[in-house]
Amino acid sequence: MAYDGASGPYRPPPPPRYVMLTEEYGSNDSLAGAPPAGGGGGGRRSNLQPQYSEDVDGGLCGCLCWCCCFLLLVIAAVAATAAYFVYAYRPKAPSYSVSGMSVAQLDVSASDLSVYARLVASVSAENPNDMIGIRYGPGSRTVVSYRGTVLCSGRLPAFYQGHRNTTVMVVAMEGRHGFGSGLQSALEESENAGNVPLDVYVSVPLTLRLGDVDLREVTVNVHCALVVDSLSPKKKPAIKSAQYKFNAEF
């Protein structure tokens, strides 16, 4: 048994708990005794760190840039086409008006509280464009109502309207609908006062034609708040005022 000469028997120091290996699988004395960075396992395993390639981020950025450039090109092409269309064709919105009305028949039945009406309206359509034609398709509808109650309905003819053209359409409308006693009394009062308010609704599908090319069909809706002096079949009504509202469904 060996002695250290003073304090007692000689004991060698304990071996290090961790040994870090170099790439040549040799010991690294400077790191002896230090635990691995991962908190466990062998020293060589702690050197394996995940690495990310910069090519992934670069490819994603490049793809986004190309998408943005393509979108900008599409927007620029659409804007250029719209600008050329406005400059070359100078489009103007068509206008519509009720130019006249006649009452062929108006019978109010007290037995079943209904009204039967036959009206004929003259609708004027103006196309002010020099290079755009308008095709009026089937499926149109016209309705005349008094204070929210429908009196009669009909439809516009299907036709093609050329450039700078004004066409007057004669629209025959008829129908039988429920008509309460209160509305009958209100209509008589309006007749006596010479102010009969009517609402005329027109809905028509139309297509713009540029040369030989037809664009997408849209539906134009017109609301005319009309005031006439009478709805008597014995007298042709005179239009006292008219207000119009328009909208289009694409």
mmCIF file of all heavy atoms in Angstrom, residues 181-222:
data_model
loop_
_atom_site.group_PDB
_atom_site.id
_atom_site.type_symbol
_atom_site.label_atom_id
_atom_site.label_comp_id
_atom_site.label_asym_id
_atom_site.label_seq_id
_atom_site.Cartn_x
_atom_site.Cartn_y
_atom_site.Cartn_z
ATOM 1 N N SER A 181 -110.714 47.516 -49.534
ATOM 2 C CA SER A 181 -111.644 48.646 -49.555
ATOM 3 C C SER A 181 -110.937 49.951 -49.193
ATOM 4 O O SER A 181 -111.298 51.025 -49.673
ATOM 5 C CB SER A 181 -112.803 48.383 -48.579
ATOM 6 O OG SER A 181 -112.298 48.158 -47.268
ATOM 7 N N GLY A 182 -109.920 49.868 -48.313
ATOM 8 C CA GLY A 182 -109.183 51.074 -47.958
ATOM 9 C C GLY A 182 -108.436 51.656 -49.142
ATOM 10 O O GLY A 182 -108.414 52.880 -49.346
ATOM 11 N N LEU A 183 -107.841 50.793 -49.974
ATOM 12 C CA LEU A 183 -107.146 51.273 -51.172
ATOM 13 C C LEU A 183 -108.138 51.825 -52.190
ATOM 14 O O LEU A 183 -107.829 52.771 -52.924
ATOM 15 C CB LEU A 183 -106.322 50.150 -51.789
ATOM 16 C CG LEU A 183 -105.015 49.797 -51.072
ATOM 17 C CD1 LEU A 183 -104.325 48.623 -51.756
ATOM 18 C CD2 LEU A 183 -104.081 50.993 -51.035
ATOM 19 N N GLN A 184 -109.327 51.226 -52.252
ATOM 20 C CA GLN A 184 -110.343 51.753 -53.165
ATOM 21 C C GLN A 184 -110.743 53.171 -52.784
ATOM 22 O O GLN A 184 -110.864 54.064 -53.639
ATOM 23 C CB GLN A 184 -111.569 50.838 -53.161
ATOM 24 C CG GLN A 184 -112.666 51.281 -54.126
ATOM 25 C CD GLN A 184 -113.861 50.343 -54.121
ATOM 26 O OE1 GLN A 184 -113.843 49.312 -53.450
ATOM 27 N NE2 GLN A 184 -114.888 50.699 -54.873
ATOM 28 N N SER A 185 -110.921 53.410 -51.507
ATOM 29 C CA SER A 185 -111.261 54.768 -51.047
ATOM 30 C C SER A 185 -110.105 55.734 -51.307
ATOM 31 O O SER A 185 -110.317 56.886 -51.727
ATOM 32 C CB SER A 185 -111.594 54.744 -49.557
ATOM 33 O OG SER A 185 -112.682 53.886 -49.293
ATOM 34 N N ALA A 186 -108.850 55.264 -51.094
ATOM 35 C CA ALA A 186 -107.690 56.121 -51.343
ATOM 36 C C ALA A 186 -107.581 56.464 -52.829
ATOM 37 O O ALA A 186 -107.229 57.596 -53.191
ATOM 38 C CB ALA A 186 -106.423 55.430 -50.861
ATOM 39 N N LEU A 187 -107.869 55.474 -53.687
ATOM 40 C CA LEU A 187 -107.803 55.738 -55.132
ATOM 41 C C LEU A 187 -108.853 56.764 -55.542
ATOM 42 O O LEU A 187 -108.580 57.646 -56.381
ATOM 43 C CB LEU A 187 -107.984 54.433 -55.903
ATOM 44 C CG LEU A 187 -107.945 54.537 -57.421
ATOM 45 C CD1 LEU A 187 -106.615 55.113 -57.893
ATOM 46 C CD2 LEU A 187 -108.178 53.164 -58.069
ATOM 47 N N GLU A 188 -110.047 56.675 -54.983
ATOM 48 C CA GLU A 188 -111.100 57.653 -55.308
ATOM 49 C C GLU A 188 -110.687 59.055 -54.852
ATOM 50 O O GLU A 188 -110.914 60.040 -55.571
ATOM 51 C CB GLU A 188 -112.403 57.232 -54.646
ATOM 52 C CG GLU A 188 -113.010 55.958 -55.234
ATOM 53 C CD GLU A 188 -114.260 55.537 -54.497
ATOM 54 O OE1 GLU A 188 -114.581 56.177 -53.462
ATOM 55 O OE2 GLU A 188 -114.906 54.564 -54.929
ATOM 56 N N GLU A 189 -110.060 59.148 -53.671
ATOM 57 C CA GLU A 189 -109.599 60.460 -53.200
ATOM 58 C C GLU A 189 -108.498 61.006 -54.107
ATOM 59 O O GLU A 189 -108.465 62.210 -54.407
ATOM 60 C CB GLU A 189 -109.092 60.337 -51.770
ATOM 61 C CG GLU A 189 -110.175 60.012 -50.749
ATOM 62 C CD GLU A 189 -109.616 59.866 -49.352
ATOM 63 O OE1 GLU A 189 -108.384 60.049 -49.188
ATOM 64 O OE2 GLU A 189 -110.403 59.578 -48.426
ATOM 65 N N SER A 190 -107.565 60.119 -54.554
ATOM 66 C CA SER A 190 -106.504 60.571 -55.461
ATOM 67 C C SER A 190 -107.081 61.038 -56.785
ATOM 68 O O SER A 190 -106.609 62.026 -57.380
ATOM 69 C CB SER A 190 -105.506 59.433 -55.693
ATOM 70 O OG SER A 190 -104.894 59.046 -54.489
ATOM 71 N N GLU A 191 -108.102 60.324 -57.273
ATOM 72 C CA GLU A 191 -108.750 60.730 -58.524
ATOM 73 C C GLU A 191 -109.384 62.111 -58.374
ATOM 74 O O GLU A 191 -109.252 62.974 -59.258
ATOM 75 C CB GLU A 191 -109.824 59.695 -58.902
ATOM 76 C CG GLU A 191 -109.277 58.396 -59.461
ATOM 77 C CD GLU A 191 -109.051 58.493 -60.952
ATOM 78 O OE1 GLU A 191 -109.351 59.554 -61.551
ATOM 79 O OE2 GLU A 191 -108.559 57.520 -61.525
ATOM 80 N N ASN A 192 -110.100 62.321 -57.280
ATOM 81 C CA ASN A 192 -110.760 63.614 -57.071
ATOM 82 C C ASN A 192 -109.746 64.750 -56.931
ATOM 83 O O ASN A 192 -110.002 65.881 -57.375
ATOM 84 C CB ASN A 192 -111.647 63.550 -55.834
ATOM 85 C CG ASN A 192 -112.799 62.571 -55.990
ATOM 86 O OD1 ASN A 192 -113.262 62.335 -57.117
ATOM 87 N ND2 ASN A 192 -113.267 62.003 -54.883
ATOM 88 N N ALA A 193 -108.570 64.438 -56.332
ATOM 89 C CA ALA A 193 -107.548 65.467 -56.178
ATOM 90 C C ALA A 193 -106.730 65.666 -57.445
ATOM 91 O O ALA A 193 -105.999 66.658 -57.570
ATOM 92 C CB ALA A 193 -106.621 65.116 -55.019
ATOM 93 N N GLY A 194 -106.826 64.741 -58.389
ATOM 94 C CA GLY A 194 -106.059 64.860 -59.633
ATOM 95 C C GLY A 194 -104.590 64.517 -59.465
ATOM 96 O O GLY A 194 -103.760 64.946 -60.278
ATOM 97 N N ASN A 195 -104.274 63.715 -58.439
ATOM 98 C CA ASN A 195 -102.886 63.273 -58.200
ATOM 99 C C ASN A 195 -102.906 61.787 -57.837
ATOM 100 O O ASN A 195 -103.163 61.444 -56.669
ATOM 101 C CB ASN A 195 -102.234 64.080 -57.069
ATOM 102 C CG ASN A 195 -102.004 65.533 -57.446
ATOM 103 O OD1 ASN A 195 -101.156 65.842 -58.282
ATOM 104 N ND2 ASN A 195 -102.769 66.419 -56.841
ATOM 105 N N VAL A 196 -102.648 60.955 -58.822
ATOM 106 C CA VAL A 196 -102.647 59.510 -58.606
ATOM 107 C C VAL A 196 -101.196 59.030 -58.663
ATOM 108 O O VAL A 196 -100.582 59.032 -59.741
ATOM 109 C CB VAL A 196 -103.501 58.780 -59.656
ATOM 110 C CG1 VAL A 196 -103.507 57.281 -59.380
ATOM 111 C CG2 VAL A 196 -104.918 59.341 -59.668
ATOM 112 N N PRO A 197 -100.616 58.615 -57.516
ATOM 113 C CA PRO A 197 -99.222 58.153 -57.538
ATOM 114 C C PRO A 197 -99.143 56.691 -58.018
ATOM 115 O O PRO A 197 -99.866 55.822 -57.524
ATOM 116 C CB PRO A 197 -98.791 58.277 -56.073
ATOM 117 C CG PRO A 197 -100.056 58.096 -55.292
ATOM 118 C CD PRO A 197 -101.169 58.656 -56.143
ATOM 119 N N LEU A 198 -98.258 56.450 -58.950
ATOM 120 C CA LEU A 198 -98.026 55.103 -59.480
ATOM 121 C C LEU A 198 -96.532 54.797 -59.444
ATOM 122 O O LEU A 198 -95.701 55.692 -59.598
ATOM 123 C CB LEU A 198 -98.539 54.977 -60.914
ATOM 124 C CG LEU A 198 -100.032 55.178 -61.153
ATOM 125 C CD1 LEU A 198 -100.333 55.120 -62.657
ATOM 126 C CD2 LEU A 198 -100.862 54.143 -60.406
ATOM 127 N N ASP A 199 -96.207 53.538 -59.260
ATOM 128 C CA ASP A 199 -94.832 53.062 -59.346
ATOM 129 C C ASP A 199 -94.729 52.121 -60.539
ATOM 130 O O ASP A 199 -95.454 51.121 -60.607
ATOM 131 C CB ASP A 199 -94.418 52.328 -58.067
ATOM 132 C CG ASP A 199 -94.250 53.268 -56.888
ATOM 133 O OD1 ASP A 199 -93.442 54.207 -56.997
ATOM 134 O OD2 ASP A 199 -94.937 53.073 -55.862
ATOM 135 N N VAL A 200 -93.829 52.456 -61.457
ATOM 136 C CA VAL A 200 -93.605 51.636 -62.647
ATOM 137 C C VAL A 200 -92.219 51.017 -62.522
ATOM 138 O O VAL A 200 -91.219 51.734 -62.402
ATOM 139 C CB VAL A 200 -93.716 52.469 -63.937
ATOM 140 C CG1 VAL A 200 -93.506 51.581 -65.162
ATOM 141 C CG2 VAL A 200 -95.072 53.166 -64.011
ATOM 142 N N TYR A 201 -92.182 49.690 -62.540
ATOM 143 C CA TYR A 201 -90.915 48.958 -62.436
ATOM 144 C C TYR A 201 -90.651 48.248 -63.765
ATOM 145 O O TYR A 201 -91.536 47.565 -64.303
ATOM 146 C CB TYR A 201 -90.969 47.934 -61.310
ATOM 147 C CG TYR A 201 -91.203 48.524 -59.941
ATOM 148 C CD1 TYR A 201 -92.488 48.624 -59.418
ATOM 149 C CD2 TYR A 201 -90.140 48.991 -59.172
ATOM 150 C CE1 TYR A 201 -92.711 49.164 -58.156
ATOM 151 C CE2 TYR A 201 -90.351 49.533 -57.913
ATOM 152 C CZ TYR A 201 -91.640 49.619 -57.414
ATOM 153 O OH TYR A 201 -91.860 50.165 -56.172
ATOM 154 N N VAL A 202 -89.431 48.409 -64.251
ATOM 155 C CA VAL A 202 -89.016 47.760 -65.500
ATOM 156 C C VAL A 202 -87.714 47.023 -65.228
ATOM 157 O O VAL A 202 -86.765 47.595 -64.685
ATOM 158 C CB VAL A 202 -88.811 48.780 -66.646
ATOM 159 C CG1 VAL A 202 -88.358 48.066 -67.915
ATOM 160 C CG2 VAL A 202 -90.101 49.554 -66.900
ATOM 161 N N SER A 203 -87.666 45.747 -65.594
ATOM 162 C CA SER A 203 -86.455 44.933 -65.482
ATOM 163 C C SER A 203 -86.224 44.262 -66.827
ATOM 164 O O SER A 203 -87.095 43.540 -67.332
ATOM 165 C CB SER A 203 -86.610 43.882 -64.378
ATOM 166 O OG SER A 203 -85.460 43.071 -64.289
ATOM 167 N N VAL A 204 -85.063 44.520 -67.419
ATOM 168 C CA VAL A 204 -84.802 44.019 -68.768
ATOM 169 C C VAL A 204 -83.355 43.553 -68.893
ATOM 170 O O VAL A 204 -82.437 44.260 -68.474
ATOM 171 C CB VAL A 204 -85.114 45.103 -69.829
ATOM 172 C CG1 VAL A 204 -84.365 46.397 -69.553
ATOM 173 C CG2 VAL A 204 -84.816 44.600 -71.235
ATOM 174 N N PRO A 205 -83.111 42.355 -69.447
ATOM 175 C CA PRO A 205 -81.732 41.920 -69.723
ATOM 176 C C PRO A 205 -81.252 42.518 -71.037
ATOM 177 O O PRO A 205 -81.962 42.478 -72.052
ATOM 178 C CB PRO A 205 -81.851 40.389 -69.809
ATOM 179 C CG PRO A 205 -83.258 40.150 -70.254
ATOM 180 C CD PRO A 205 -84.084 41.282 -69.704
ATOM 181 N N LEU A 206 -80.064 43.071 -71.034
ATOM 182 C CA LEU A 206 -79.520 43.661 -72.261
ATOM 183 C C LEU A 206 -78.038 43.325 -72.405
ATOM 184 O O LEU A 206 -77.348 43.040 -71.441
ATOM 185 C CB LEU A 206 -79.747 45.175 -72.300
ATOM 186 C CG LEU A 206 -79.191 46.063 -71.180
ATOM 187 C CD1 LEU A 206 -77.728 46.410 -71.412
ATOM 188 C CD2 LEU A 206 -80.009 47.323 -71.074
ATOM 189 N N THR A 207 -77.577 43.379 -73.651
ATOM 190 C CA THR A 207 -76.197 43.066 -73.997
ATOM 191 C C THR A 207 -75.643 44.188 -74.859
ATOM 192 O O THR A 207 -76.284 44.596 -75.836
ATOM 193 C CB THR A 207 -76.096 41.732 -74.759
ATOM 194 O OG1 THR A 207 -76.691 40.698 -73.982
ATOM 195 C CG2 THR A 207 -74.650 41.371 -75.046
ATOM 196 N N LEU A 208 -74.472 44.699 -74.504
ATOM 197 C CA LEU A 208 -73.807 45.714 -75.312
ATOM 198 C C LEU A 208 -73.059 45.043 -76.458
ATOM 199 O O LEU A 208 -72.407 44.013 -76.265
ATOM 200 C CB LEU A 208 -72.841 46.544 -74.468
ATOM 201 C CG LEU A 208 -73.446 47.299 -73.283
ATOM 202 C CD1 LEU A 208 -72.367 48.093 -72.568
ATOM 203 C CD2 LEU A 208 -74.579 48.204 -73.730
ATOM 204 N N ARG A 209 -73.139 45.634 -77.644
ATOM 205 C CA ARG A 209 -72.450 45.090 -78.827
ATOM 206 C C ARG A 209 -71.416 46.092 -79.304
ATOM 207 O O ARG A 209 -71.735 47.246 -79.633
ATOM 208 C CB ARG A 209 -73.440 44.768 -79.941
ATOM 209 C CG ARG A 209 -72.795 44.461 -81.269
ATOM 210 C CD ARG A 209 -73.748 43.870 -82.267
ATOM 211 N NE ARG A 209 -74.075 42.485 -81.937
ATOM 212 C CZ ARG A 209 -74.762 41.676 -82.764
ATOM 213 N NH1 ARG A 209 -75.198 42.141 -83.924
ATOM 214 N NH2 ARG A 209 -74.995 40.436 -82.412
ATOM 215 N N LEU A 210 -70.153 45.645 -79.335
ATOM 216 C CA LEU A 210 -69.054 46.458 -79.852
ATOM 217 C C LEU A 210 -68.659 45.883 -81.203
ATOM 218 O O LEU A 210 -67.983 44.857 -81.283
ATOM 219 C CB LEU A 210 -67.860 46.426 -78.897
ATOM 220 C CG LEU A 210 -68.141 46.763 -77.429
ATOM 221 C CD1 LEU A 210 -66.859 46.684 -76.622
ATOM 222 C CD2 LEU A 210 -68.781 48.129 -77.303
ATOM 223 N N GLY A 211 -69.099 46.536 -82.266
ATOM 224 C CA GLY A 211 -68.842 45.988 -83.595
ATOM 225 C C GLY A 211 -69.626 44.705 -83.794
ATOM 226 O O GLY A 211 -70.857 44.706 -83.822
ATOM 227 N N ASP A 212 -68.897 43.585 -83.925
ATOM 228 C CA ASP A 212 -69.535 42.276 -84.046
ATOM 229 C C ASP A 212 -69.413 41.450 -82.780
ATOM 230 O O ASP A 212 -69.734 40.251 -82.781
ATOM 231 C CB ASP A 212 -68.908 41.487 -85.220
ATOM 232 C CG ASP A 212 -69.156 42.167 -86.556
ATOM 233 O OD1 ASP A 212 -70.191 42.855 -86.692
ATOM 234 O OD2 ASP A 212 -68.308 42.020 -87.467
ATOM 235 N N VAL A 213 -68.935 42.048 -81.709
ATOM 236 C CA VAL A 213 -68.677 41.316 -80.467
ATOM 237 C C VAL A 213 -69.727 41.711 -79.431
ATOM 238 O O VAL A 213 -69.934 42.908 -79.164
ATOM 239 C CB VAL A 213 -67.264 41.611 -79.933
ATOM 240 C CG1 VAL A 213 -67.026 40.868 -78.624
ATOM 241 C CG2 VAL A 213 -66.217 41.220 -80.972
ATOM 242 N N ASP A 214 -70.394 40.705 -78.844
ATOM 243 C CA ASP A 214 -71.357 40.935 -77.770
ATOM 244 C C ASP A 214 -70.674 40.736 -76.427
ATOM 245 O O ASP A 214 -70.001 39.720 -76.203
ATOM 246 C CB ASP A 214 -72.539 39.972 -77.886
ATOM 247 C CG ASP A 214 -73.426 40.302 -79.081
ATOM 248 O OD1 ASP A 214 -73.379 41.455 -79.544
ATOM 249 O OD2 ASP A 214 -74.156 39.400 -79.540
ATOM 250 N N LEU A 215 -70.845 41.705 -75.532
ATOM 251 C CA LEU A 215 -70.294 41.593 -74.194
ATOM 252 C C LEU A 215 -71.234 40.794 -73.301
ATOM 253 O O LEU A 215 -72.269 40.293 -73.745
ATOM 254 C CB LEU A 215 -70.054 42.984 -73.608
ATOM 255 C CG LEU A 215 -69.101 43.890 -74.390
ATOM 256 C CD1 LEU A 215 -68.906 45.212 -73.652
ATOM 257 C CD2 LEU A 215 -67.762 43.207 -74.615
ATOM 258 N N ARG A 216 -70.862 40.686 -72.039
ATOM 259 C CA ARG A 216 -71.656 39.909 -71.090
ATOM 260 C C ARG A 216 -73.020 40.561 -70.864
ATOM 261 O O ARG A 216 -73.141 41.776 -70.791
ATOM 262 C CB ARG A 216 -70.893 39.806 -69.756
ATOM 263 C CG ARG A 216 -71.643 39.066 -68.664
ATOM 264 C CD ARG A 216 -70.836 39.075 -67.391
ATOM 265 N NE ARG A 216 -71.573 38.460 -66.290
ATOM 266 C CZ ARG A 216 -71.142 38.372 -65.047
ATOM 267 N NH1 ARG A 216 -69.939 38.866 -64.742
ATOM 268 N NH2 ARG A 216 -71.860 37.811 -64.106
ATOM 269 N N GLU A 217 -74.052 39.729 -70.741
ATOM 270 C CA GLU A 217 -75.406 40.225 -70.519
ATOM 271 C C GLU A 217 -75.564 40.737 -69.089
ATOM 272 O O GLU A 217 -75.093 40.114 -68.133
ATOM 273 C CB GLU A 217 -76.423 39.112 -70.788
ATOM 274 C CG GLU A 217 -77.874 39.553 -70.635
ATOM 275 C CD GLU A 217 -78.855 38.423 -70.894
ATOM 276 O OE1 GLU A 217 -79.137 37.670 -69.948
ATOM 277 O OE2 GLU A 217 -79.311 38.286 -72.047
ATOM 278 N N VAL A 218 -76.228 41.866 -68.952
ATOM 279 C CA VAL A 218 -76.538 42.437 -67.639
ATOM 280 C C VAL A 218 -78.036 42.717 -67.589
ATOM 281 O O VAL A 218 -78.714 42.810 -68.630
ATOM 282 C CB VAL A 218 -75.741 43.739 -67.377
ATOM 283 C CG1 VAL A 218 -74.249 43.483 -67.390
ATOM 284 C CG2 VAL A 218 -76.102 44.811 -68.403
ATOM 285 N N THR A 219 -78.551 42.837 -66.377
ATOM 286 C CA THR A 219 -79.964 43.154 -66.175
ATOM 287 C C THR A 219 -80.077 44.578 -65.636
ATOM 288 O O THR A 219 -79.491 44.908 -64.595
ATOM 289 C CB THR A 219 -80.614 42.166 -65.196
ATOM 290 O OG1 THR A 219 -80.525 40.840 -65.729
ATOM 291 C CG2 THR A 219 -82.079 42.509 -64.986
ATOM 292 N N VAL A 220 -80.824 45.401 -66.352
ATOM 293 C CA VAL A 220 -81.026 46.796 -65.961
ATOM 294 C C VAL A 220 -82.401 46.926 -65.321
ATOM 295 O O VAL A 220 -83.407 46.459 -65.879
ATOM 296 C CB VAL A 220 -80.896 47.736 -67.176
ATOM 297 C CG1 VAL A 220 -81.244 49.170 -66.775
ATOM 298 C CG2 VAL A 220 -79.487 47.676 -67.743
ATOM 299 N N ASN A 221 -82.445 47.542 -64.147
ATOM 300 C CA ASN A 221 -83.693 47.767 -63.416
ATOM 301 C C ASN A 221 -83.982 49.262 -63.349
ATOM 302 O O ASN A 221 -83.106 50.053 -63.008
ATOM 303 C CB ASN A 221 -83.599 47.194 -61.997
ATOM 304 C CG ASN A 221 -83.289 45.711 -61.990
ATOM 305 O OD1 ASN A 221 -83.962 44.924 -62.640
ATOM 306 N ND2 ASN A 221 -82.256 45.313 -61.261
ATOM 307 N N VAL A 222 -85.213 49.609 -63.690
ATOM 308 C CA VAL A 222 -85.642 51.009 -63.691
ATOM 309 C C VAL A 222 -86.866 51.130 -62.797
ATOM 310 O O VAL A 222 -87.812 50.330 -62.894
ATOM 311 C CB VAL A 222 -85.984 51.498 -65.114
ATOM 312 C CG1 VAL A 222 -86.388 52.967 -65.088
ATOM 313 C CG2 VAL A 222 -84.817 51.277 -66.062
#
